[in-house]
Amino acid sequence: MEPAKTSVLVVEDDPAIARGLCDVLVFNGYHAETVADGNRGCESALEGAWDLILLDVMLPGIDGFSICREIRRKRPTQPVIMLTAKGSEDDIVTGFTAGADDYVSKPFSLRELMVRVEAVLRRSGKTMGDERIRCGDVLFDGLNLQATCDDRTAALTRREMDIVVYLFRHRERIVSKAELLTEVWHYKDPGIETRTVDIHMLKLRKKIASLTNGSGLIETVRGEGYRLESES
């Protein structure tokens, strides 16, 4: 019996883009289906068994951010890639906040699309661990996905927790952006142009700073990468 193909739901209202996405996915061996509006897209996302959902931001009916939040509420581990307008950093930040695993900016190359699709599928369900880590006065709880300091608590995404765990495991040295893309995001080609790491670091630092009254705990070493700040 032939093994089942990896299934991808494409929620995209532009017929040409939807057709192009399906064509490249099918060419690369995936099973792909399309939905053209937000209401049906949300229903299909929650009713079907999808290995991955490609989700446009601007949709008739329910927008992509709202759909992503609903998916995260009911299916926390469902892999989702958002399709955003070129250069719209606000869209990218909002997408990650809604729970997207990654984003692709329009217009995108087919190579970039497939790199991100394959990376998200590789890391789907794979995490750094559910351990508890203390950095300075902050306790990071991977099981409950939260950081606490005294009586203050901040919710973390799984990817944010993975970043903390990886930096903690390698706290004696600087960790480059390319290494994070390879080891945390599971990109085979860490040289691909992406602001994913920068945006995740920005959000993570803000959450930590809200607990520590200013310290973000993660230091940027210009031109080199990141490391956890010393506890001294």
Side-chain angles (χ1 to χ4, degrees):
M1 181 180 293
E2 188 174 326
K5 292 183 178 181
T6 300
S7 61
V8 181
L9 174 66
V10 178
V11 187
E12 168 62 64
D13 65 321
D14 185 308
I17 294 177
R19 185 168 55 251
L21 288 169
C22 275
D23 286 348
V24 71
L25 288 165
V26 170
F27 179 80
N28 282 274
Y30 297 92
H31 168 75
E33 295 183 22
T34 63
V35 177
D37 69 83
N39 293 300
R40 288 180 54 231
C42 190
E43 292 175 4
S44 297
L46 296 175
E47 292 173 0
W50 306 103
D51 295 294
L52 175 67
I53 297 173
L54 294 181
L55 181 59
D56 189 26
V57 171
M58 301 301 295
L59 294 165
I62 307 173
D63 66 84
F65 298 135
S66 299
I67 295 172
C68 190
R69 292 187 191 98
E70 188 67 8
I71 291 171
R72 278 291 162 263
R73 188 174 71 85
K74 295 184 177 179
R75 293 187 172 183
T77 62
Q78 171 68 62
V80 177
I81 296 178
M82 301 290 293
L83 307 176
T84 71
K86 180 176 175 61
S88 179
E89 188 165 302
D90 287 344
D91 277 359
I92 296 168
V93 172
T94 304
F96 282 138
T97 302
D101 294 278
D102 207 345
Y103 72 93
V104 179
S105 295
K106 299 178 183 177
F108 47 80
S109 70
L110 298 182
R111 171 180 169 273
E112 177 188 8
L113 172 70
M114 293 313 302
V115 165
R116 294 179 188 275
V117 165
E118 291 165 3
V120 168
L121 288 171
R122 276 196 302 274
R123 71 176 183 254
S124 177
K126 298 177 182 178
T127 63
M128 293 287 124
D130 294 331
E131 57 217 81
R132 290 159 65 92
I133 291 172
R134 180 168 291 281
C135 298
D137 295 325
V138 182
L139 177 65
F140 295 92
D141 183 346
L143 185 61
N144 296 300
L145 289 180
Q146 64 181 21
T148 58
C149 180
D150 297 329
D151 58 348
R152 296 182 295 274
T153 301
L156 301 175
T157 66
R158 172 52 65 187
R159 203 61 54 215
E160 288 166 349
M161 186 65 200
D162 287 350
I163 292 169
V164 171
V165 172
Y166 194 82
L167 291 178
F168 182 80
R169 290 180 180 176
H170 302 275
R171 58 191 178 278
E172 301 304 321
R173 63 178 177 85
I174 299 168
V175 176
S176 70
K177 182 186 297 186
E179 183 176 346
L180 287 172
L181 286 172
T182 299
E183 301 299 330
V184 176
W185 274 265
H186 298 280
Y187 282 175
K188 285 186 176 179
D189 178 8
I192 190 170
E193 182 64 30
T194 176
R195 296 211 57 214
T196 296
V197 176
D198 303 309
I199 292 171
H200 273 81
M201 285 295 185
L202 178 63
K203 291 175 64 248
L204 180 56
R205 281 198 182 106
K206 285 183 177 179
K207 290 181 180 181
I208 295 172
S210 72
L211 303 176
T212 61
N213 295 320
S215 173
L217 287 182
I218 299 172
E219 177 187 0
T220 298
V221 182
R222 186 175 296 276
E224 298 292 332
Y226 307 92
R227 66 183 170 200
L228 286 179
E229 295 178 356
S230 65
E231 300 183 19
S232 59

